[in-house]
């Protein structure tokens, strides 16, 4: 048997930007005995999680829950709304935007990739210009990653919505929130998003295995004429079964137990406080990085992510070698650089079930690791973060949100 818990004394610090640490109350919920997914007890569970997950998406529209990874929710968003040969406009913001593009092409869609440098978010003006030039309305959807997990850059979705509206273009707006939902303020309805894609393993504090589509009325109308093949992903059958708390296939029962517990935790804290907590920890992390004399990958402070920080290594130093030193000496996992950022950045995850002491342990591990690995830096990053946290207290807890 693979030794899954062979770490040295003390807790392992899992500080990658997802999967994130799963709270004990969620683990305990998942551990409950499996029940009949056609029985009345399950129906109550289904109705509860389907109602309250809408609060996290900030929507009154249906949220479809799949037993799948976030990649499945990407595919579901596309196959329910589009037809073979449809043209899709996508923004190159990083590794995951590129993967979504590749998936779209494999489905038989024609993609246009607005180029990016992986240090900035989606450009609303470039989106507007391309849509304004599309007089025939050949472009059927605009796809944007809200928080690019590979870079630590957050795109301005309301500005993208305004860009589409200014062009008077009927394209659907599809947004990936896999690493932002439950960590960064996101508003499916208010921002005019047609399909929001999400996953369970980051801000929702669950293991991988559930994914989500929040769907607007416009998206559901598009699904009635879309011709890409779909069966497992089809929204209509799932929405019909969900009306009574069930699914048309066997769902991930125990993960739904965990989702119920995770929703309890998020809504007890209050979403405004959840977002403020993430904002605060992200700023403390950035102050530590600057104090070390290192460079943050995200080039625009207005686009800094509150879920993770990607840090550029000094020239001549390999990020993966540094990560190995941190893991070996301090039992902490940091996020790797992906595709063209491989070896160039490490990523600090500060999302999910995360508090001040977790952050300080994380930053201490990074600072000690920089010294052990011989990476040029200035000491004092941990102190800079401590000074900020001591000065910027969290707001008083809000009343829990209920459906």
């Amino acid at each position: 048997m693979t030794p899954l818990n062979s770490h040295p004394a003390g807790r392992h610090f899992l500080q990658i930007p997802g999967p994130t640490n799963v709270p004990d109350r969620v683990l305990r919920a998942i551990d409950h005995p499996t029940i009949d997914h056609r029985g009345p007890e399950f129906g109550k569970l289904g109705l509860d999680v389907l109602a309250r997950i809408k609060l996290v998406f900030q929507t009154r529209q249906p949220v479809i829950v799949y037993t799948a990874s976030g990649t499945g929710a990407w595919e579901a968003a596309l196959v329910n709304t589009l037809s073979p040969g449809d043209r899709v406009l996508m923004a190159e913001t990083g590794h995951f935007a590129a993967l979504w593009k590749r998936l779209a092409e494999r489905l038989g869609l024609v993609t246009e990739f607005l180029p990016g440098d992986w240090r900035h978010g989606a450009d609303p003006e470039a989106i507007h210009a391309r849509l304004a030039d599309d007089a025939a309305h050949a472009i059927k959807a605009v796809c944007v990653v809200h928080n690019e997990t590979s870079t630590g850059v957050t795109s301005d979705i309301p500005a993208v919505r305004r860009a589409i509206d200014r062009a008077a273009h009927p394209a659907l707006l599809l947004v990936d929130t896999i690493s932002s939902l439950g960590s960064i303020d996101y508003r499916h309805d208010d921002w005019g998003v047609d399909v929001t894609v999400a996953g369970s393993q980051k801000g929702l504090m669950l293991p991988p295995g559930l994914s989500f589509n929040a769907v607007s009325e416009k998206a559901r109308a598009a699904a009635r004429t879309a011709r890409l093949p779909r069966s497992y992903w089809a929204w209509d059958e799932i929405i019909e079964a969900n009306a009574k708390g069930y699914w048309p296939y066997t769902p991930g029962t125990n993960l739904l137990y965990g989702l119920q517990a995770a929703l309890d935790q998020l809504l007890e804290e209050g979403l405004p406080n959840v977002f403020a907590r993430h904002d605060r920890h992200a700023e403390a992390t950035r102050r530590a990085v600057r104090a070390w004399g290192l460079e943050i990958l995200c080039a625009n402070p207005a686009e800094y992510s509150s879920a993770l920080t990607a840090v550029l290594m000094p020239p001549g130093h390999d990020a993966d070698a540094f990560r190995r030193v941190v893991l070996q000496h301090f039992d902490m996992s940091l996020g790797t650089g992906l595709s063209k950022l491989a070896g160039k950045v490490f990523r600090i995850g500060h999302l999910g079930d995360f508090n001040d002491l977790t952050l300080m342990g994380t930053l201490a591990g990074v600072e000690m690791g920089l010294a052990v690995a011989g990476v040029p830096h200035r000491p004092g990053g941990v102190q800079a973060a401590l000074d900020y946290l001591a000065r910027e207290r969290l707001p008083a807890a809000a009343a829990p949100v209920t459906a």
Side-chain angles (χ1 to χ4, degrees):
M1 181 176 178
T2 303
L4 296 177
N5 196 26
S6 58
H7 303 295
R11 59 156 286 191
H12 174 68
F13 271 65
L14 180 67
Q15 302 315 140
I16 62 176
T20 61
N21 298 287
V22 180
D24 284 346
R25 68 192 291 184
V26 175
L27 288 172
R28 299 292 80 79
I30 293 171
D31 195 40
H32 287 159
T34 303
I35 59 175
D36 175 12
H37 62 285
R38 305 293 183 212
E41 188 179 7
F42 183 91
K44 294 177 183 177
L45 168 70
L47 289 173
D48 178 60
V49 297
L50 289 167
R52 293 196 296 149
I53 192 63
K54 293 181 181 182
L55 300 174
V56 182
F57 283 88
Q58 301 194 62
T59 184
R60 295 180 181 275
Q61 303 301 319
V63 177
I64 291 94
V65 183
Y66 295 104
T67 304
S69 70
T71 304
W74 275 350
E75 181 166 334
L78 296 172
V79 299
N80 277 286
T81 57
L82 299 169
S83 298
D86 277 353
R87 188 171 294 273
V88 181
L89 185 64
M90 310 182 95
E92 183 192 3
T93 52
H95 176 74
F96 291 98
L99 287 183
W100 200 6
K101 171 181 177 288
R102 186 176 70 176
L103 186 151
E105 291 168 346
R106 288 178 171 178
L107 292 172
L109 298 169
V110 177
T111 61
E112 292 188 28
F113 214 23
L114 293 172
D117 62 1
W118 292 37
R119 301 194 68 177
H120 294 82
D123 182 350
E125 293 308 313
I127 291 171
H128 172 264
R130 179 62 189 93
L131 294 178
D133 191 48
D134 180 31
H137 295 165
I139 295 169
K140 302 303 180 185
V142 175
C143 297
V144 179
V145 176
H146 180 219
N147 187 74
E148 177 57 68
T149 321
S150 65
T151 65
V153 177
T154 302
S155 290
D156 187 341
I157 301 304
V160 172
R161 177 74 263 174
R162 291 192 296 270
I164 297 171
D165 292 345
R166 280 192 291 121
H169 200 287
L172 296 164
L173 175 58
L174 279 54
V175 178
D176 169 346
T177 66
I178 290 172
S179 63
S180 56
L181 190 78
S183 302
I184 300 170
D185 192 11
Y186 180 82
R187 307 183 181 204
H188 176 88
D189 287 357
D190 288 353
W191 294 355
V193 179
D194 292 301
V195 185
T196 298
V197 171
S200 59
Q201 73 275 20
K202 298 181 187 283
L204 292 180
M205 306 177 293
L206 288 160
L210 295 180
S211 63
F212 308 84
N213 279 177
V215 295
S216 71
E217 292 181 4
K218 181 179 176 181
R220 298 199 303 279
R224 290 193 283 272
T225 58
R227 291 182 287 103
L228 278 174
R230 59 193 186 272
S231 176
Y232 180 81
W233 308 115
W235 291 339
D236 53 356
E237 291 185 357
I238 300 174
I239 292 173
E240 181 180 358
N242 282 173
K244 294 183 179 180
Y246 300 101
W247 274 256
Y249 49 74
T250 305
T253 304
N254 290 61
L255 284 172
L256 292 172
Y257 295 162
L259 177 58
Q260 187 175 53
L263 290 170
D264 288 344
Q265 183 163 325
L266 284 170
L267 299 177
E268 285 167 8
E269 183 176 359
L271 290 177
N273 289 330
V274 172
F275 302 143
R277 170 168 57 84
H278 282 79
D279 292 344
R280 180 170 170 270
H281 289 149
E283 177 59 26
T285 301
R286 293 190 292 267
R287 289 179 182 234
V289 173
R290 294 191 195 100
W292 292 323
L294 300 179
E295 186 177 359
I296 297 166
L297 179 65
C298 179
N300 179 2
E303 296 176 331
Y304 282 153
S305 170
S306 290
L308 73 137
T309 301
V311 183
L312 282 161
M313 290 295 284
H317 292 267
D318 181 79
D320 289 336
F322 166 68
R323 290 174 51 254
R324 284 193 295 272
V325 166
V326 171
L327 180 61
Q328 291 166 1
H329 286 261
F330 307 110
D331 195 22
M332 181 168 73
S333 296
L334 296 170
T336 186
L338 297 169
S339 55
K340 69 181 186 180
L341 294 175
K344 298 178 181 178
V345 305
F346 65 91
R347 295 173 297 148
I348 303 170
H350 35 72
L351 72 163
D353 190 36
F354 198 84
N355 62 20
D356 286 9
L357 293 181
T358 312
L359 176 64
M360 296 319 302
T362 300
L363 297 178
V366 173
E367 186 160 333
M368 291 188 293
L370 292 169
V372 173
V375 176
H377 71 287
R378 298 189 300 264
V382 170
Q383 188 61 53
L386 274 171
D387 292 344
Y388 174 77
L389 293 177
R391 186 169 64 253
E392 300 294 331
R393 298 293 183 186
L394 284 173
V401 178
T402 57

